[in-house]
């Protein structure tokens, strides 16, 4: 890079894409949003107009061919991610890809290889690790302050089940718990997951169970050093967005993401009331900005981001084992990696 | 004492007396409630019956003359305390007296002298210092862990203004803030209060202001080492009983009595909800038992209680200065003690 | 019962027995500790002397035959509980038995039957449900305030691994997690556990693994309505005794037993510091008194305690399934009850 | 304004100026930092270079004459503020001025009048009201949710006393507590302060007391409706930057700015540890960005900022009364405004 600002093109102008676009346009030092692409007619243009971005494309490849773009941010539906990562890398663009980066291990391997071959930065949207609490916990674990991890836990509860109809079948593992798997892998540095057991059911919307939609799950992971981790997800927490982690080791315990923290506590006739966050983009706003800031920084300084394609593959391996575990109703052993 | 249980006679069978009676009968190791006295016909008998206590008196002196009683607990109206302390001491009984022990310094001095002459234990009901949080804070201050105190604060907010009609005029200083003055004196060990400024008003029930009832107050105390303390009271906190302390010194800050702590936190559609205590006898239940347990212990082991007649006098001196400050609308200097 | 105080005989004068003895002697209204028995010569006598209790036995049956005893509290090693419950019931005594009440389902059934036949109260030491936080959470769940339970969690972490040598092999399930199983069953009222999967290892003291001692475990329980629960235990939490519960339902989430709550928060040069409890008898002191108070109350008023022999059997069923699950390294289905 | 971005010139490139510059350059949508001015040779240029800003001035008036600047942000020493506000307004620039906007009421009135005459936006740096907790509390008070305010409190404790030598004499009132006065005025909407009593001393650095430096203060404010407020400041809190507010009214209590909130709680052998903020620009980072974002927004949309010149004058009036109160050692009555 011979200029000081990374010119980013966004692919996918939906809810999450729009949020990334706003951050890139307004809050990320070192980056400039220069183009938006979306297959849906008008979507890219509307977003570009709103944020004062110069170019809008309905042809994704056209954006990839744009020589005035240094990097892309991919925020399209999950199943399209891997091919877009590969195409972007082949076009010589640095790549930020929303999670999951891929939905098969083969795809993941090809995406990693493509980025490596092209010599571009490949970062995956594990934003949770960029939030202050999780970042501090993981950092303390890696520094040995918490001793050897023995037990760990990661929770994701979404605030409301939007219409379940269009949600793909294994979303709870591939798109939701993938965050928790990534977190737990970083809560257990140096350990390798060797067994996965997943229980899952449709408790929020039992009427969608026969369509394959699972909205509640608990996953148990055993590591090769004996440590045990649990991941837990649910698609409808009436009290808001709930993302927490806990890591217990030989020297202590760390808790990240406590949501009962507010800078305005209200005491009234019914007792004490504290507000909660209702949106991931609200609870984790700083983390979303931080990951994109790191993306720009890594491109400008030739550094490796903390959430890589390998991280994406590692978390995916567990997600895929969960699917197998639910299908077979038994624990699944992971092969050597 | 040549037996292992202190035989206590209670004087005053009202709300607080009944509560002390229950503790003495059921929860205080080393003490046995053996008699109750109350001027109001039937009151002592009813309480004695309820708790299985043998003797009930309507003649207070009769209880003081009872040779099978080692100690008395005084829970009558405030203005009767000092004379009862003196009479009890003269009868050779150890004395636990609810706060305020006296309402004039002259009374206080006579009560202290009477106990000294009789060689009996004299303990005053500054229960707050027996609650876990305040006890720990005061202990840390005295151990020097917090450095030299520079700023301190004590708050008392009662949960509901019972009918203000029968409340005596200066209750807010003599009966409520007296706790806070005692606390602040212990937050500033070794320092002497030299100036008091009190603001007070009738904000909860303005209609009783012309009867002299003040329900809201802030008191500022300056110590001879420059440290500054504030005490704050209000008679109607809709969210419950609120008793907190904060002491800031050259090495840190200690907070005691945080009320937003509950062992069952509820997260629901409106956010997070935490219950509060609605009664002093609920919030400070353990402290009430602890002070009475210490009373029995001091009698049995010949030790000095941590809340003495001198403490009562010291807090009263500030309360009386508050009254003068409100009357004269200016700060009042305290004489040398 | 034709008198107003329950006369209790304690069986077992070890650490927990001594603690129960102290509570019975000093803190439990309605009960009086009148005898202590322990097989070890001198142990009962020493405890009786310390607490001023009249009788001490080294012959347990002699205590059971004592006609001046209404009830017994059993605090002997776990494997002797069931036979003592049966013997006590046959002697016409009401029975409080420390957990686990039995270590086989057959024993449990015989103990329940013996109490029923004798018409005596049988209460089991699931003290956790008597702590304020857990009691409030369970009460809210039963009242429907939290909706239908979908996910729940219970954690027990002991503060320090005493010498592992004398700890029997399956202690983590039969004596530690039995509390969590009981809690989770009450977090899921009306649901029946149908599958149990247990992972366990020796992570604190790997050198004792070949002796069969497991010190770390995660158990997953699936209920017949699809709800999923996890129980988690570890024998060495360096930060103190850690007992927490969380129950997530269609209307909200409840958290019980948060240990980061202290009434004296210290702010100093290193940040903020809060003290923790180092002993179960410290963290749960009130709960221990409350369960024994309920025991006396149920005897005096002919009521059923909230922790019954059936509860003991239900939790035991899960503990036994855990042992099977660890041995077979797979999930275990529970039969119909 | 006929363009969509406000071009801002910064005056004063010291610690706070540099921080505002960074925010304007990187984090404030709607604003662009286009020039920096500082009297000290090289200071403006260095800051401009670091942030990629085009113009640097050592002549402040030159910046004010720059026709490519729409607005200025003033971050010079306090005593220069008012004249710079006036000069900027006369040059037709919108003005953001760090607190205090003026150090005499006459200056304040002239500054307010200058902005009014010029028709420019005048915003004052009361950043605290832009932090989430204080903003929510003030909003709830204004909406009546907390009832009528009866008691309120505002605290500022700086983390470390930098060399006291260059600190002007009345800094604690004019520069530190001015934030608290502003906050308390907004905690008591509709009420007018009528009496001020200030105690102040040099407790952190007694050796500087004879130079007039006061580092510790408690101020009591009485309002015309009887409500009472306290403001408290200290220049050396070893545990970090401490900014809190509490407002108690007839319907409840609100607490803002609790600093014992961290998203990574650490449990270790010494208990529980929570990190604190050591810098105002760290604790209140979001508030600094929010106030500048509002400044740009008000300019672009012709709206009135929430922290105006009138607010600055109101808080100053109390600060000046504090000085008088300390000098005369008595409460000071405020005249009608």
């Amino acid at each position: 890079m011979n200029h000081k600002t990374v010119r980013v093109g966004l692919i996918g102008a939906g809810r999450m894409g729009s949020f990334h676009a706003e951050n890139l346009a307004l809050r990320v030092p070192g980056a400039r949003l220069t183009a938006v692409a979306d297959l849906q007619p008008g979507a890219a243009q509307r977003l570009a107009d709103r944020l004062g971005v110069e170019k809008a494309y309905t042809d994704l490849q056209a954006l990839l061919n744009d020589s005035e773009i240094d990097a892309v941010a991919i925020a399209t539906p999950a199943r399209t991610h891997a091919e877009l990562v590969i195409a972007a890398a082949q076009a010589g663009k640095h790549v930020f890809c929303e999670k999951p980066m891929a939905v098969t291990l083969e795809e993941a391997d090809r995406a990693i290889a493509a980025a490596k071959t092209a010599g571009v930065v490949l970062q995956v949207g594990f934003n949770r690790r960029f939030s202050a609490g999780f970042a501090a916990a993981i950092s303390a674990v890696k520094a040995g302050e918490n001793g050897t991890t023995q037990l760990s836990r990661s929770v994701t509860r979404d605030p409301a089940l939007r219409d379940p109809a269009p949600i793909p079948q294994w979303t709870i593992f591939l798109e939701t718990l993938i965050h928790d798997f990534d977190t737990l892998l970083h809560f257990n540095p140096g350990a390798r997951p060797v067994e996965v057991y997943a229980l899952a059911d449709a408790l929020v919307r039992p009427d969608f169970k026969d369509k394959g939609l699972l909205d509640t799950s608990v996953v148990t992971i055993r590591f090769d050093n004996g440590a045990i981790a649990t991941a837990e997800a649910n698609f409808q927490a009436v009290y808001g967005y709930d993302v927490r982690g806990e890591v217990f080791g030989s020297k202590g315990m760390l808790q990240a993401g406590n949501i009962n923290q507010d800078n305005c506590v209200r005491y009234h006739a019914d007792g004490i009331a504290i507000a909660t966050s209702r949106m991931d983009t609200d609870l984790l706003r700083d983390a979303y900005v931080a990951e994109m800031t790191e993306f720009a920084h890594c491109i400008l300084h030739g550094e490796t981001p903390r959430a890589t394609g390998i991280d994406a593959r590692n978390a995916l391996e567990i997600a895929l084992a969960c699917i197998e575990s639910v299908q077979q109703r038994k624990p699944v052993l992971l092969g050597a990696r």
Side-chain angles (χ1 to χ4, degrees), chain A residues 43-242:
Chain A
Q45 191 64 54
R46 276 191 303 275
L47 182 59
D49 287 351
R50 179 156 73 79
L51 295 169
V53 172
E54 301 137 48
K55 305 176 192 172
Y57 296 99
T58 48
D59 176 350
L60 309 189
Q61 190 61 46
L63 182 143
L64 294 180
N65 293 342
D66 186 333
S67 65
E68 292 180 314
I69 288 174
D70 306 308
V72 297
I74 300 170
T76 54
R79 276 149 183 80
T80 66
H81 288 175
E83 295 308 327
L84 282 168
V85 170
I86 294 164
Q90 287 171 347
K93 310 301 187 196
H94 300 285
V95 183
F96 175 92
C97 182
E98 259 305 325
K99 49 86 212 172
M101 183 191 70
V103 294
T104 70
L105 293 180
E106 182 273 337
E107 264 186 0
D109 288 334
R110 285 199 294 125
I112 293 166
K116 192 176 177 187
T117 302
V120 295
V121 169
L122 170 54
Q123 183 176 334
V124 177
F126 288 132
N127 58 313
R128 196 168 301 179
R129 279 200 276 131
F130 291 80
S131 75
F134 282 88
I138 289 170
S139 165
V141 167
K142 293 197 173 158
E145 297 169 16
N146 206 48
T148 303
T149 299
Q150 296 172 352
L151 294 165
S152 50
R153 183 198 194 206
S154 181
V155 174
T156 303
R157 296 186 189 137
D158 281 307
L161 188 53
R162 295 164 290 263
D163 182 18
I167 298 180
Q169 187 171 12
W170 300 110
T171 293
I172 197 163
F173 298 121
L174 293 171
E175 303 198 30
T176 301
L177 282 162
I178 198 100
H179 277 300
D180 302 277
F181 302 147
D182 176 66
T183 299
L184 293 170
L185 288 167
H186 286 83
F187 278 173
N188 288 273
R192 197 170 58 82
V194 291
E195 186 199 296
V196 171
Y197 184 50
L199 288 170
D201 211 329
L203 301 181
V204 176
R205 289 295 297 267
D207 50 328
F208 277 80
K209 188 172 183 178
D210 57 358
K211 295 192 178 62
L213 184 77
L214 302 170
D215 52 44
T216 305
S217 179
V218 171
V219 176
T220 315
I221 303 167
R222 188 161 57 82
F223 288 85
D224 60 354
N225 64 353
I228 312 167
T230 52
E232 194 189 282
N234 180 280
F235 281 177
Q236 189 162 297
V238 297
Y239 54 88
Y241 196 63
D242 184 0

